[in-house]
Amino acid sequence: MKSIKRLSGFLTIVSILTSLSACNTNMNVIKHNDEVKEIKIGVTLYKQDDKFISAITKNIEEIAKEKEGEGKYKITINVVDAKGSSSDQNNQVDRFVSQNYDVICVNIVDRTASSTIIDKAKSANIPIVFFNREPVEEDMQRWNKLYYVGAQAKQSGEMQANIIINAYKKDMKRVDRNGDGKIQYVMLEGEPGHQDALIRTEYCVKTITQSGIELEKLADDTANWQGAQASAKMTQWIKEFGNKIEVVFCNNDDMALGVINALDNANITENRPLIVGTDGVPNALEAVKNGSMIGTVINDSKRQANAIFDIAYTLATHGNINSVEGLEKGKYIRTAHTEVTSDNVDLYLENK
């Protein structure tokens, strides 16, 4: 009787162990079948120390992390800095190609010389998403897997103009301090050949003159989007023109902040020119709040980052590219801007 019980117990243990083994085998099969696929997105920047570009890449990384949390894909975002060197950027693209990245996002150093990068990606059949610095139209038509995400540059120039037009209508003497019926201005442009700088400058001036307000340009120059260069240039103009400068138009906020720095260093506390920027970076919004700048135009880095990631993710996962929101002509997304003055700056400071 005891032998039968022992045998029965032994068989029960064997049955349990067999069941556990089968369960483990099934779990391994399930785990294998549910293995998460990795997608790799390479991002090469013309200069990572550009505050607006840095904001875009930070947002891309945050969006990717949130998307990865859905559990469908492991998402690798590799951001590299070309530091203004086309040669370095070409080498970075070579590495992305050799490591079989799914998509390459390019903030190109020289927008007139993108053909080399395009040819490298095309030969490896890796799509490219250009952003912020748009290749020339001829290059964008070289392949059907080229995309661009940027802003509506014309709109930003018009909005910069509107800030000054509205101030002029509200209090003419605040803008036209010398009362000669004209606005004496200087213009700080981003960099030679940058499409947004050219368009922003053109439509800022054109919109004001078309409103019936006369402009007199005292000087204009490029400061390559950089505050230090803008500060040096403004220091020179202060010595040259003194308090004749009534408005300073800046293609971006970093340069506008550089202008403020130059005015502070020159101890100019009264009759300061009105300063307008673009981008809506936090320091510029604070400057609008405290009156150092009359206004800026928000260039939405998060919205651009979303568009860049949406295109890249869709391509990497072989989705329907035409389903990407805002895509025009099958390859372009251009985001809208927002005017900011003292009237509404608190709203945007709260969201920063």
Side-chain angles (χ1 to χ4, degrees):
M1 193 70 173
K2 288 182 179 180
S3 297
I4 292 172
K5 286 183 178 179
R6 287 196 191 99
L7 179 60
S8 176
F10 174 74
L11 291 174
T12 301
I13 292 169
V14 170
S15 176
I16 292 170
L17 290 172
T18 302
S19 296
L20 288 172
S21 177
C23 182
N24 286 336
T25 300
N26 289 336
M27 288 296 289
N28 287 334
V29 170
I30 292 169
K31 185 177 180 182
H32 176 74
N33 290 340
D34 289 350
E35 186 176 342
V36 176
K37 184 181 183 296
E38 180 183 19
I39 59 176
K40 298 190 293 185
I41 300 171
V43 183
T44 170
L45 309 176
Y46 99 103
K47 281 183 182 177
Q48 197 164 14
D49 61 3
D50 182 302
K51 286 185 175 64
F52 183 69
I53 298 303
S54 178
I56 288 178
T57 52
K58 182 182 177 183
N59 284 323
I60 290 173
E61 290 170 331
E62 290 175 354
I63 294 163
K65 191 178 295 183
E66 186 177 332
K67 190 70 174 178
E68 190 178 58
E70 295 178 4
K72 293 181 180 179
Y73 295 93
K74 172 177 168 53
I75 304 172
T76 296
I77 304 288
N78 185 4
V79 179
V80 292
D81 184 3
K83 297 181 179 178
S85 167
S86 291
S87 175
D88 286 353
Q89 191 161 64
N90 289 339
N91 291 335
Q92 289 164 355
V93 170
D94 280 336
R95 285 195 292 275
F96 289 147
V97 169
S98 68
Q99 294 168 14
N100 297 313
Y101 272 65
D102 296 286
V103 181
I104 301 173
C105 301
V106 180
N107 174 228
I108 197 157
V109 171
D110 182 357
R111 62 181 293 260
T112 65
S114 56
S115 58
T116 300
I117 285 176
I118 291 170
D119 290 344
K120 291 174 187 291
K122 185 177 180 180
S123 64
N125 197 31
I126 300 174
I128 296 182
V129 183
F130 290 102
F131 65 97
N132 185 257
R133 300 164 71 85
E134 183 179 355
V136 296
E137 180 66 21
E138 181 182 350
D139 284 336
M140 285 298 294
Q141 299 306 320
R142 289 171 67 94
W143 190 30
N144 64 354
K145 293 185 179 179
L146 303 176
Y147 304 87
Y148 176 74
V149 174
Q152 298 175 23
K154 176 184 173 183
Q155 184 191 52
S156 66
E158 291 170 340
M159 285 184 172
Q160 280 193 316
N162 287 337
I163 289 169
I164 295 301
I165 292 168
N166 291 334
Y168 187 89
K169 289 178 178 178
K170 187 177 180 179
D171 182 0
M172 188 185 300
K173 291 181 180 179
R174 183 187 180 196
V175 186
D176 180 18
R177 291 197 315 268
N178 63 10
D180 67 352
K182 297 180 287 188
I183 298 174
Q184 280 76 30
Y185 78 96
V186 294
M187 173 76 72
L188 281 166
E189 300 182 41
E191 66 181 280
H194 190 290
Q195 78 287 346
D196 282 9
L198 296 170
I199 296 170
R200 196 169 289 163
T201 299
E202 176 187 354
Y203 280 91
C204 177
V205 173
K206 184 183 290 186
T207 302
I208 292 176
T209 55
Q210 286 178 346
S211 76
I213 298 172
E214 189 175 349
L215 290 174
E216 181 185 347
K217 181 172 70 176
L218 299 178
D220 70 340
D221 207 342
T222 56
N224 297 299
W225 310 112
Q226 296 180 32
Q229 289 188 30
S231 182
K233 185 59 60 178
M234 188 64 190
T235 298
Q236 176 185 326
W237 287 341
I238 290 168
K239 292 176 182 176
E240 187 173 351
F241 303 111
N243 64 2
K244 291 180 182 178
I245 303 170
E246 294 173 330
V247 176
V248 184
F249 294 105
C250 304
N251 279 176
N252 80 334
D253 283 341
D254 253 13
M255 295 189 296
L257 294 168
V259 169
I260 293 170
N261 182 65
L263 293 168
D264 290 343
N265 288 341
N267 293 317
I268 297 174
T269 57
E270 296 181 359
N271 295 321
R272 288 166 70 112
L274 304 179
I275 303 166
V276 187
T278 292
D279 280 344
V281 300
N283 287 351
L285 295 177
E286 291 289 352
V288 174
K289 173 73 174 177
N290 67 33
S292 300
M293 289 171 62
I294 189 172
T296 186
V297 178
I298 289 181
N299 191 0
D300 198 328
S301 62
K302 189 162 188 179
R303 189 177 295 178
Q304 288 192 35
N306 267 310
I308 295 162
F309 182 79
D310 282 352
I311 294 174
Y313 182 83
T314 302
L315 293 168
T317 58
H318 308 290
N320 178 11
I321 191 64
N322 293 318
S323 68
V324 174
E325 184 179 353
L327 193 67
E328 298 176 357
K329 299 181 181 179
K331 59 174 56 191
Y332 295 98
I333 293 179
R334 301 185 193 278
T335 61
H337 294 82
T338 307
E339 281 182 43
V340 180
T341 65
S342 59
D343 293 335
N344 64 347
V345 68
D346 286 338
L347 175 62
Y348 297 101
L349 277 170
E350 288 173 5
N351 295 327
K352 287 294 176 182

